[in-house]
Amino acid sequence: MKPKFDIIRLSKWFFLLSSLITVAGIVVFATLGFNLGTDFKAGSRVQMQLNQQVDETKVRQMFNSVGLKVDNTAVTVAGTGRNVAIVRFPEVLTPTQISQIDQAESKYFPKATVAPKVDTVDPYVAKQTAQKAALSILIAAAFIVIYIAIRFEFRFAVAGIVALLHDAFIVLAAFALLRREVDLTFVAAILTIVGYSINDTIVIFDRIRENLKIVKPKDVETLKQVVNRSLWQTMSRSINTVITVLIAAVILYFFGGVSIRNFTFALIIGLVSGAYSSIFIASPLWVVWRGRSLKKGKSGVKTHTA
Amino acid sequence: MKWGRFMAFLVMVAVVIGLTVGTAMPIAKKIPLGLDLRGGVDLLYQIQPSSGQHITESGKQALLQAVELRVNNLGVASPIIDLEGRDQIRVQLAGVKDQAAAAKTIGETAQLAMYSSAKMDPKTGAPIAPAGKLLATGADLKSNASYVQDPNTGKNEVAISFKDPKKWENITSTYLGKPIYIFLNDNLLTDPVINEKMFTGDSVIYGPQLTTPQECQQLASQINAGALPYPLHLQSETSVGPSLGQASLQATLYAGMIAIILIFLFMIVLYRMAGLIADIALVAYGYLTILIFNGLHVVLTLSGLAALVLGVGMAVDANIITYERIKDEMRQGRSLRSAVKIGNKNALRAIIDSNATTFIAGAVMYWFGQGDIRGFSVALMVSIIVSLLTAVLLSRMMLLSFTNSGVVKRPWWYGVGKGVLKNDEA
């Protein structure tokens, strides 16, 4: 693809856009926090012996009729005859609500003879999994820095990690802003986005590294040109790849199960952000940093790492 | 046109399609699915403090940790462990073959005890119940018990070490030349005669209840998980359906199939014949991944599937990078054949570096993560290796043999539009 516009020259606007989203995200985290789903919050567990095969939709209708919202992943079918419904709520139910549920059950499921069994639940493993996921992403980032620093150079490594954390953060911010529910599948989505983001960035860095071997920039202007050309040379690939993965994510969002809708939603945001940050954040960031050393350095002694 | 090259290309295509159509389904059905995809068993334990014992908040946390350790020792992927009510623990497991043994390992403390003598069965003369002095218990042992095989006899054993070597030294010197009786949950494990004084505190135990490696590993993990702060009583055991819901998963499966077909078509529209080759390589990717998952006995969860989708993305990306490079080379005026060759070469470094970086991320997540994160990272690492084998190696072999066969000469077949080429023919 031929350069259509100068991405590097416009980079400050992209930095501004990403900063604004980041700040908005931080404000929402600080004030509202996440809308945690049943996976992460203590709440109630209602177990109903229905004496008939469980119809998930009907179970949801029953709880909606008494004004209770049922999460996407909250209904589980149990028992050898698939006739026990288990529903998790992210809040502890009041005695009034419990008696309402009891009445609704006899109305919706006349075959059920026993009153629903209600317990309070505190998830233990799920919370730990989320904490360990955050920790492993940070440690993984450290190891990625080492690898890219060896294969490319340190500045590429940092720019790549900034883009990676940017994408994870954008998804977190989007979920906080839109009050979308955070459950265990969200953790899997974040891990996937992190993997995609770094993979996407490296391919563009590779082209910059290659072009730097042909043209050794002596001033910032040439450097900007080289990077801009590299970005446009990889543009068809960037677009085609993100379209391919987006096809999968969008189809799964609209036609896949309701219970993974939060997961696919996170993927869609993360994939778009991953493609965007590789082009408009990671590479321009590297130019800013690398350009500084060019200005300082005297001509002729420029260190060239590629 | 070289028929030999073209035949080689056709053979590769036939092998991939044939193997996949012929054997993929039965192998895929053997892969165990996780709690979220297929459901599993739901165990409810009642915490039963001994008389005079109070359940404290820190005691509950210690109990949950011990339970988690035991579940992990079972090798189960992504369990759910919840504290329920004031004094119940709910554990949900998927992919467990022996539910009774699992329930036992989680809930029971291995009551290992060594006695100075035992009651004998009057008829057979075999020791049946502990008697005499209690010399040591499981609590005297370090948490590093492990399954070992005797290098000389090949016998399965559990290696143990005493927290206090002095204690074991005292026991072995007092009872030198006499038997001691080791009981596990009041069943005799073994009654070895002490032949020499032991100074280091290291020993092995074996016996008729420890014949298989599994039995040894189970005892070792019970010893390592230590005594539970409070005894647990198994209250109920029920099977549960997939936590993501049956109907929901069915819909997801269909959506996944539509997505794959669309991706295949998209690749063909973009890159024509080369796109078709990429699609065949993707089929090989899917097939090999299933094969390896089956071989590694990986329990597949939604996180694992997410990693596989990422793997598909990276596999497609590898092909897109290569084909765009080939187009670049053709724009520079290279012939079709040399463009394919050079394009492949130039694309390789970007593909290797990007895959290696993601692989490192996967390896680190495996190292520091647990449960779901590990499931994700295993699937990611497997899919990266497989994608390098198929989307890079196999795809390249197919593309080169197809190109060299000279069946088609127009660059159109590689997705190169008119007008970008200086000389239109190879």
Side-chain angles (χ1 to χ4, degrees), chain A residues 184-224:
Chain A
L184 255 184
T185 64
F186 183 72
V187 175
I190 293 286
L191 296 179
T192 313
I193 290 157
V194 165
Y196 177 80
S197 170
I198 196 69
N199 186 70
D200 195 57
T201 308
I202 295 294
V203 176
I204 296 175
F205 282 176
D206 171 78
R207 187 57 81 101
I208 297 176
R209 170 174 67 178
E210 191 181 308
N211 284 337
L212 283 176
K213 275 185 196 157
I214 308 164
V215 185
K216 295 191 195 269
K218 293 211 162 54
D219 52 74
V220 183
E221 209 40 53
T222 333
L223 181 76
K224 283 182 177 173

Short mmCIF file of all heavy atoms in Angstrom, two decimals, chain A residues 184-224:
data_model
loop_
_atom_site.label_atom_id
_atom_site.label_comp_id
_atom_site.label_asym_id
_atom_site.label_seq_id
_atom_site.Cartn_x
_atom_site.Cartn_y
_atom_site.Cartn_z
N LEU A 184 -15.40 -15.03 34.96
CA LEU A 184 -14.16 -15.79 34.74
C LEU A 184 -13.77 -15.83 33.26
O LEU A 184 -12.58 -15.84 32.93
CB LEU A 184 -14.31 -17.22 35.26
CG LEU A 184 -13.60 -17.53 36.57
CD1 LEU A 184 -13.75 -18.99 36.92
CD2 LEU A 184 -12.12 -17.16 36.54
N THR A 185 -14.75 -15.82 32.35
CA THR A 185 -14.41 -15.87 30.93
C THR A 185 -13.69 -14.59 30.51
O THR A 185 -12.93 -14.58 29.56
CB THR A 185 -15.67 -16.03 30.04
OG1 THR A 185 -16.49 -14.87 30.20
CG2 THR A 185 -16.46 -17.26 30.40
N PHE A 186 -13.91 -13.52 31.28
CA PHE A 186 -13.25 -12.24 31.00
C PHE A 186 -11.74 -12.37 31.16
O PHE A 186 -10.96 -11.79 30.40
CB PHE A 186 -13.81 -11.18 31.97
CG PHE A 186 -13.26 -9.80 31.75
CD1 PHE A 186 -13.65 -9.06 30.65
CD2 PHE A 186 -12.37 -9.25 32.65
CE1 PHE A 186 -13.14 -7.79 30.45
CE2 PHE A 186 -11.86 -7.98 32.46
CZ PHE A 186 -12.25 -7.25 31.35
N VAL A 187 -11.33 -13.16 32.16
CA VAL A 187 -9.90 -13.39 32.38
C VAL A 187 -9.29 -14.05 31.14
O VAL A 187 -8.23 -13.64 30.65
CB VAL A 187 -9.68 -14.26 33.63
CG1 VAL A 187 -8.20 -14.61 33.79
CG2 VAL A 187 -10.19 -13.56 34.87
N ALA A 188 -9.98 -15.05 30.59
CA ALA A 188 -9.50 -15.73 29.38
C ALA A 188 -9.40 -14.74 28.22
O ALA A 188 -8.44 -14.77 27.44
CB ALA A 188 -10.44 -16.87 29.01
N ALA A 189 -10.38 -13.82 28.13
CA ALA A 189 -10.38 -12.84 27.05
C ALA A 189 -9.16 -11.92 27.15
O ALA A 189 -8.49 -11.65 26.16
CB ALA A 189 -11.67 -12.03 27.08
N ILE A 190 -8.87 -11.47 28.37
CA ILE A 190 -7.73 -10.57 28.56
C ILE A 190 -6.42 -11.28 28.15
O ILE A 190 -5.57 -10.71 27.47
CB ILE A 190 -7.65 -10.09 30.04
CG1 ILE A 190 -8.84 -9.20 30.37
CG2 ILE A 190 -6.34 -9.35 30.30
CD1 ILE A 190 -8.78 -7.82 29.78
N LEU A 191 -6.28 -12.54 28.56
CA LEU A 191 -5.07 -13.30 28.20
C LEU A 191 -4.95 -13.39 26.67
O LEU A 191 -3.86 -13.22 26.11
CB LEU A 191 -5.11 -14.70 28.80
CG LEU A 191 -5.09 -14.81 30.33
CD1 LEU A 191 -5.16 -16.26 30.76
CD2 LEU A 191 -3.84 -14.16 30.89
N THR A 192 -6.07 -13.65 26.00
CA THR A 192 -6.05 -13.77 24.54
C THR A 192 -5.64 -12.45 23.88
O THR A 192 -4.83 -12.43 22.95
CB THR A 192 -7.46 -14.16 24.04
OG1 THR A 192 -7.93 -15.24 24.83
CG2 THR A 192 -7.43 -14.60 22.59
N ILE A 193 -6.18 -11.35 24.40
CA ILE A 193 -5.88 -10.03 23.84
C ILE A 193 -4.40 -9.70 24.00
O ILE A 193 -3.76 -9.18 23.08
CB ILE A 193 -6.77 -8.96 24.51
CG1 ILE A 193 -8.22 -9.15 24.05
CG2 ILE A 193 -6.29 -7.57 24.19
CD1 ILE A 193 -9.23 -8.57 24.98
N VAL A 194 -3.87 -10.02 25.17
CA VAL A 194 -2.44 -9.77 25.42
C VAL A 194 -1.59 -10.53 24.39
O VAL A 194 -0.67 -9.97 23.79
CB VAL A 194 -2.08 -10.18 26.87
CG1 VAL A 194 -0.58 -10.28 27.04
CG2 VAL A 194 -2.66 -9.18 27.85
N GLY A 195 -1.94 -11.79 24.15
CA GLY A 195 -1.21 -12.60 23.18
C GLY A 195 -1.31 -12.02 21.78
O GLY A 195 -0.32 -11.91 21.06
N TYR A 196 -2.53 -11.60 21.39
CA TYR A 196 -2.74 -11.05 20.05
C TYR A 196 -1.97 -9.75 19.88
O TYR A 196 -1.31 -9.53 18.87
CB TYR A 196 -4.22 -10.83 19.79
CG TYR A 196 -4.47 -10.19 18.44
CD1 TYR A 196 -4.46 -10.96 17.29
CD2 TYR A 196 -4.66 -8.82 18.32
CE1 TYR A 196 -4.65 -10.38 16.05
CE2 TYR A 196 -4.85 -8.24 17.09
CZ TYR A 196 -4.84 -9.02 15.96
OH TYR A 196 -5.01 -8.45 14.74
N SER A 197 -2.07 -8.89 20.89
CA SER A 197 -1.49 -7.56 20.82
C SER A 197 0.02 -7.62 20.54
O SER A 197 0.53 -6.95 19.64
CB SER A 197 -1.76 -6.81 22.11
OG SER A 197 -1.02 -5.62 22.17
N ILE A 198 0.73 -8.44 21.31
CA ILE A 198 2.18 -8.46 21.17
C ILE A 198 2.56 -9.08 19.83
O ILE A 198 3.48 -8.62 19.16
CB ILE A 198 2.85 -9.16 22.38
CG1 ILE A 198 4.34 -8.84 22.41
CG2 ILE A 198 2.64 -10.65 22.41
CD1 ILE A 198 4.65 -7.40 22.75
N ASN A 199 1.81 -10.10 19.41
CA ASN A 199 2.07 -10.75 18.14
C ASN A 199 1.92 -9.76 16.98
O ASN A 199 2.74 -9.68 16.09
CB ASN A 199 1.07 -11.90 17.98
CG ASN A 199 1.34 -12.72 16.75
OD1 ASN A 199 2.33 -13.43 16.70
ND2 ASN A 199 0.49 -12.61 15.76
N ASP A 200 0.86 -8.96 17.05
CA ASP A 200 0.56 -7.99 16.01
C ASP A 200 1.64 -6.91 15.92
O ASP A 200 2.04 -6.50 14.85
CB ASP A 200 -0.80 -7.35 16.31
CG ASP A 200 -1.35 -6.62 15.11
OD1 ASP A 200 -1.51 -7.27 14.07
OD2 ASP A 200 -1.61 -5.41 15.22
N THR A 201 2.12 -6.47 17.10
CA THR A 201 3.10 -5.40 17.14
C THR A 201 4.44 -5.85 16.56
O THR A 201 5.08 -5.11 15.81
CB THR A 201 3.29 -4.92 18.60
OG1 THR A 201 2.01 -4.64 19.15
CG2 THR A 201 4.14 -3.68 18.66
N ILE A 202 4.86 -7.05 16.92
CA ILE A 202 6.19 -7.53 16.53
C ILE A 202 6.36 -7.54 15.01
O ILE A 202 7.42 -7.23 14.49
CB ILE A 202 6.45 -8.94 17.11
CG1 ILE A 202 6.49 -8.88 18.63
CG2 ILE A 202 7.76 -9.52 16.59
CD1 ILE A 202 7.64 -8.11 19.18
N VAL A 203 5.30 -7.92 14.29
CA VAL A 203 5.41 -8.02 12.83
C VAL A 203 5.74 -6.65 12.22
O VAL A 203 6.56 -6.55 11.31
CB VAL A 203 4.10 -8.59 12.24
CG1 VAL A 203 4.17 -8.60 10.72
CG2 VAL A 203 3.87 -10.00 12.76
N ILE A 204 5.12 -5.60 12.77
CA ILE A 204 5.41 -4.25 12.27
C ILE A 204 6.84 -3.84 12.66
O ILE A 204 7.58 -3.29 11.84
CB ILE A 204 4.37 -3.26 12.82
CG1 ILE A 204 2.99 -3.63 12.26
CG2 ILE A 204 4.73 -1.83 12.43
CD1 ILE A 204 1.86 -2.82 12.81
N PHE A 205 7.23 -4.14 13.88
CA PHE A 205 8.59 -3.82 14.33
C PHE A 205 9.62 -4.50 13.42
O PHE A 205 10.66 -3.94 13.12
CB PHE A 205 8.80 -4.28 15.78
CG PHE A 205 8.19 -3.35 16.79
CD1 PHE A 205 8.21 -3.66 18.14
CD2 PHE A 205 7.62 -2.14 16.40
CE1 PHE A 205 7.67 -2.81 19.08
CE2 PHE A 205 7.06 -1.29 17.34
CZ PHE A 205 7.09 -1.63 18.69
N ASP A 206 9.29 -5.73 13.01
CA ASP A 206 10.21 -6.47 12.15
C ASP A 206 10.46 -5.71 10.84
O ASP A 206 11.58 -5.64 10.36
CB ASP A 206 9.65 -7.86 11.86
CG ASP A 206 10.45 -8.58 10.81
OD1 ASP A 206 11.53 -9.09 11.15
OD2 ASP A 206 10.03 -8.62 9.64
N ARG A 207 9.37 -5.10 10.30
CA ARG A 207 9.53 -4.38 9.05
C ARG A 207 10.35 -3.11 9.26
O ARG A 207 11.18 -2.74 8.42
CB ARG A 207 8.14 -4.06 8.46
CG ARG A 207 8.18 -3.46 7.07
CD ARG A 207 8.89 -4.33 6.07
NE ARG A 207 8.08 -5.40 5.54
CZ ARG A 207 7.48 -5.37 4.33
NH1 ARG A 207 7.60 -4.34 3.55
NH2 ARG A 207 6.76 -6.39 3.93
N ILE A 208 10.14 -2.46 10.39
CA ILE A 208 10.94 -1.25 10.69
C ILE A 208 12.41 -1.65 10.81
O ILE A 208 13.29 -1.01 10.22
CB ILE A 208 10.46 -0.58 12.01
CG1 ILE A 208 9.01 -0.11 11.86
CG2 ILE A 208 11.37 0.58 12.37
CD1 ILE A 208 8.41 0.47 13.12
N ARG A 209 12.66 -2.75 11.54
CA ARG A 209 14.03 -3.23 11.71
C ARG A 209 14.68 -3.50 10.35
O ARG A 209 15.82 -3.13 10.11
CB ARG A 209 13.99 -4.52 12.55
CG ARG A 209 15.31 -5.27 12.63
CD ARG A 209 15.22 -6.44 13.58
NE ARG A 209 14.33 -7.50 13.10
CZ ARG A 209 14.12 -8.64 13.77
NH1 ARG A 209 14.71 -8.85 14.91
NH2 ARG A 209 13.32 -9.55 13.28
N GLU A 210 13.89 -4.11 9.44
CA GLU A 210 14.43 -4.45 8.13
C GLU A 210 14.74 -3.20 7.32
O GLU A 210 15.80 -3.09 6.70
CB GLU A 210 13.40 -5.31 7.39
CG GLU A 210 13.91 -5.94 6.13
CD GLU A 210 12.82 -6.74 5.45
OE1 GLU A 210 12.21 -7.59 6.14
OE2 GLU A 210 12.56 -6.51 4.27
N ASN A 211 13.80 -2.23 7.34
CA ASN A 211 14.01 -1.01 6.57
C ASN A 211 15.16 -0.17 7.10
O ASN A 211 15.81 0.55 6.36
CB ASN A 211 12.73 -0.18 6.54
CG ASN A 211 11.71 -0.78 5.59
OD1 ASN A 211 12.07 -1.51 4.66
ND2 ASN A 211 10.45 -0.48 5.81
N LEU A 212 15.40 -0.28 8.43
CA LEU A 212 16.50 0.48 9.02
C LEU A 212 17.84 -0.04 8.54
O LEU A 212 18.85 0.65 8.61
CB LEU A 212 16.43 0.39 10.55
CG LEU A 212 15.38 1.27 11.22
CD1 LEU A 212 15.36 1.02 12.71
CD2 LEU A 212 15.64 2.74 10.94
N LYS A 213 17.86 -1.29 8.07
CA LYS A 213 19.11 -1.85 7.55
C LYS A 213 19.43 -1.26 6.19
O LYS A 213 20.59 -1.15 5.83
CB LYS A 213 18.97 -3.37 7.41
CG LYS A 213 19.29 -4.10 8.71
CD LYS A 213 19.26 -5.59 8.49
CE LYS A 213 19.19 -6.30 9.81
NZ LYS A 213 18.63 -7.64 9.67
N ILE A 214 18.36 -0.90 5.45
CA ILE A 214 18.56 -0.36 4.11
C ILE A 214 18.87 1.14 4.20
O ILE A 214 19.84 1.62 3.66
CB ILE A 214 17.32 -0.59 3.22
CG1 ILE A 214 16.94 -2.08 3.26
CG2 ILE A 214 17.56 -0.14 1.80
CD1 ILE A 214 15.55 -2.38 2.75
N VAL A 215 18.02 1.86 4.92
CA VAL A 215 18.22 3.30 5.09
C VAL A 215 18.63 3.55 6.54
O VAL A 215 17.87 3.25 7.45
CB VAL A 215 16.92 4.09 4.81
CG1 VAL A 215 17.19 5.57 4.87
CG2 VAL A 215 16.33 3.68 3.49
N LYS A 216 19.82 4.06 6.74
CA LYS A 216 20.21 4.37 8.12
C LYS A 216 19.93 5.84 8.38
O LYS A 216 20.66 6.71 7.89
CB LYS A 216 21.70 4.05 8.32
CG LYS A 216 21.95 2.57 8.18
CD LYS A 216 23.33 2.19 8.62
CE LYS A 216 23.69 0.84 8.15
NZ LYS A 216 23.57 -0.32 8.65
N PRO A 217 18.85 6.15 9.11
CA PRO A 217 18.45 7.54 9.27
C PRO A 217 19.46 8.33 10.11
O PRO A 217 19.90 7.87 11.15
CB PRO A 217 17.10 7.45 9.98
CG PRO A 217 17.00 6.08 10.50
CD PRO A 217 18.01 5.22 9.85
N LYS A 218 19.80 9.53 9.60
CA LYS A 218 20.76 10.36 10.32
C LYS A 218 20.06 11.49 11.06
O LYS A 218 20.62 12.14 11.92
CB LYS A 218 21.77 10.94 9.33
CG LYS A 218 22.66 9.86 8.74
CD LYS A 218 24.03 10.41 8.42
CE LYS A 218 25.06 9.33 8.25
NZ LYS A 218 24.69 8.31 7.26
N ASP A 219 18.79 11.75 10.68
CA ASP A 219 18.04 12.77 11.42
C ASP A 219 16.62 12.27 11.66
O ASP A 219 16.19 11.26 11.11
CB ASP A 219 18.02 14.09 10.64
CG ASP A 219 17.53 13.87 9.22
OD1 ASP A 219 16.32 13.65 9.05
OD2 ASP A 219 18.38 13.87 8.29
N VAL A 220 15.92 12.99 12.49
CA VAL A 220 14.58 12.57 12.91
C VAL A 220 13.63 12.48 11.72
O VAL A 220 12.80 11.58 11.64
CB VAL A 220 14.03 13.56 13.96
CG1 VAL A 220 12.67 13.09 14.46
CG2 VAL A 220 15.00 13.68 15.11
N GLU A 221 13.78 13.40 10.78
CA GLU A 221 12.87 13.43 9.64
C GLU A 221 12.96 12.13 8.83
O GLU A 221 11.93 11.53 8.47
CB GLU A 221 13.21 14.65 8.76
CG GLU A 221 12.03 15.23 7.99
CD GLU A 221 10.75 15.26 8.79
OE1 GLU A 221 10.72 15.80 9.93
OE2 GLU A 221 9.75 14.71 8.29
N THR A 222 14.20 11.68 8.55
CA THR A 222 14.37 10.43 7.80
C THR A 222 13.80 9.27 8.61
O THR A 222 13.16 8.37 8.05
CB THR A 222 15.87 10.16 7.53
OG1 THR A 222 16.56 11.39 7.50
CG2 THR A 222 16.06 9.38 6.26
N LEU A 223 14.06 9.29 9.91
CA LEU A 223 13.57 8.22 10.78
C LEU A 223 12.04 8.11 10.68
O LEU A 223 11.48 7.04 10.50
CB LEU A 223 13.97 8.48 12.23
CG LEU A 223 13.54 7.43 13.24
CD1 LEU A 223 14.44 6.21 13.13
CD2 LEU A 223 13.60 7.99 14.65
N LYS A 224 11.39 9.28 10.74
CA LYS A 224 9.93 9.30 10.65
C LYS A 224 9.45 8.72 9.32
O LYS A 224 8.48 7.97 9.26
CB LYS A 224 9.41 10.73 10.81
CG LYS A 224 9.42 11.21 12.24
CD LYS A 224 8.84 12.60 12.34
CE LYS A 224 8.79 13.05 13.80
NZ LYS A 224 8.39 14.45 13.91
#
